[in-house]
Amino acid sequence: MATRYHPRVLPSHDLSRRLRAVADANKRAWWERYLKGAIPFYGVPMAAIRRTVHEWIAAHGLEGEALRHAAFDLLRMPVAEEKLAGISVLQEVLLPAGMLDVARDLDVIATAFDEGAIADWNTTDWLCIRVLGPWIEAGGDDAAARIAGWVGAPGLWRRRAGVVSFVPLAARGDAAMPRLVDTVVQVCEATVQDQERFAQTAIGWVLRELSDVAPDRVFAFLMAHEETLSREAVRMAAARLSEEQRAALGIRGKRRRR
């Protein structure tokens, strides 16, 4: 059973106030339209979120366990920029300092997914690309195995994270970590029957990156699962394959170069 995280009293509301103070109503409206109302926004660019986070940390003297708990509190707050602020703390402070524990803290994040605190593609993908992918590389086989296991999770967004977390490493293949190519193919195999759009596009995305180093493995996977994968996923995954491979998959147009 995943570890349940109990939020603590922290100065999170002050960070929300600071974010609102630098918000732009036009940006808020654009992002809320773009995500079709999946999550509310303040309208703060990422650079301003990062700057505000570091000012907030300094103002409250947050460090150590207090900062770790603050990051997970922020992931559970309702507005997109609050969640992105939590991701920023994890990415820029806690992960580089070795302050995250694979067994303990991946369970905390899994619980946040399962309880609906992370429930949109924007938050999921930022977390995967900025934190979970680098964490896999730093944490090795244990982190990779635990996150790969998320493809069997009950909720779509944790299932997507079980695939997208490998995107930052996939283009380097086994040079990023041993057996990475096999692991990526395995998470795609475990996900291929999932017809949710964001599960299918997760496969397309990670295989597109993997095709830089293992094009024949990607092509073989697409041919084997052509009837199950969505056309959107196939087009994404095949974007950098050879013209001959793309033609065999029924894809017209020039290949995308990296």
Side-chain angles (χ1 to χ4, degrees):
M1 176 180 289
T3 302
R4 185 175 179 83
Y5 174 63
H6 299 282
R8 301 190 178 191
V9 177
L10 289 163
S12 303
H13 291 295
D14 179 52
L15 178 61
S16 300
R17 179 190 63 78
R18 290 168 182 262
L19 290 169
R20 288 195 299 271
V22 294
D24 182 302
N26 291 328
K27 287 184 172 63
R28 180 189 69 228
W30 189 92
W31 275 106
E32 290 183 348
R33 283 196 305 271
Y34 186 59
L35 267 80
K36 300 179 180 179
I39 186 170
F41 281 80
Y42 288 135
V44 184
M46 194 64 213
I49 294 172
R50 294 174 62 222
R51 182 174 63 251
T52 302
V53 163
H54 286 285
E55 292 170 352
W56 170 73
I57 290 171
H60 291 275
L62 291 171
E63 59 184 10
E65 282 298 290
L67 185 57
R68 175 182 160 270
H69 283 287
F72 292 125
D73 277 345
L74 291 168
L75 279 181
R76 289 182 164 277
M77 294 185 75
V79 180
E81 286 90 343
E82 294 164 342
K83 296 179 188 296
L84 294 175
I87 291 169
S88 179
V89 174
L90 293 169
Q91 174 197 356
E92 298 184 22
V93 183
L94 300 179
L95 187 59
M99 294 174 61
L100 296 176
D101 177 81
V102 168
R104 177 193 64 192
D105 294 327
L106 282 179
D107 269 1
V108 172
I109 293 173
T111 302
F113 275 112
D114 293 345
E115 294 183 349
I118 304 172
D120 67 279
W121 67 260
N122 186 62
T123 307
T124 298
D125 291 358
W126 269 99
L127 180 63
C128 290
I129 300 304
R130 301 296 181 176
V131 177
L132 297 177
W135 201 350
I136 289 171
E137 190 166 12
D141 289 345
D142 189 12
R146 287 174 183 272
I147 292 174
W150 288 3
V151 296
L156 168 62
W157 302 111
R158 182 151 71 99
R159 296 200 305 273
R160 179 176 172 87
V163 180
V164 174
S165 295
F166 291 93
V167 165
L169 290 76
R172 289 182 285 141
D174 291 348
M177 62 182 298
R179 300 176 299 281
L180 182 76
V181 173
D182 288 342
T183 299
V184 170
V185 172
Q186 288 163 8
V187 297
C188 291
E189 289 275 5
T191 307
V192 73
Q193 298 295 328
D194 190 337
Q195 292 303 301
E196 291 277 4
R197 183 191 175 205
F198 284 102
Q200 291 282 307
T201 56
I203 295 172
W205 188 4
V206 77
L207 289 182
R208 183 182 69 200
E209 300 304 308
L210 188 67
S211 71
D212 285 351
V213 290
D216 291 342
R217 290 288 297 274
V218 171
F219 177 66
F221 182 93
L222 296 177
M223 291 296 290
H225 299 288
E226 189 177 10
E227 298 301 318
T228 306
L229 286 164
S230 70
R231 289 307 295 172
E232 181 181 20
V234 173
R235 286 193 299 271
M236 288 177 67
R240 299 175 192 159
L241 294 180
S242 71
E243 299 295 346
E244 294 77 14
Q245 290 170 327
R246 287 165 54 79
L249 292 162
I251 299 173
R252 297 179 178 179
K254 294 184 178 181
R255 64 191 290 262
R256 180 189 294 181
R257 299 186 183 277
R258 187 173 175 84

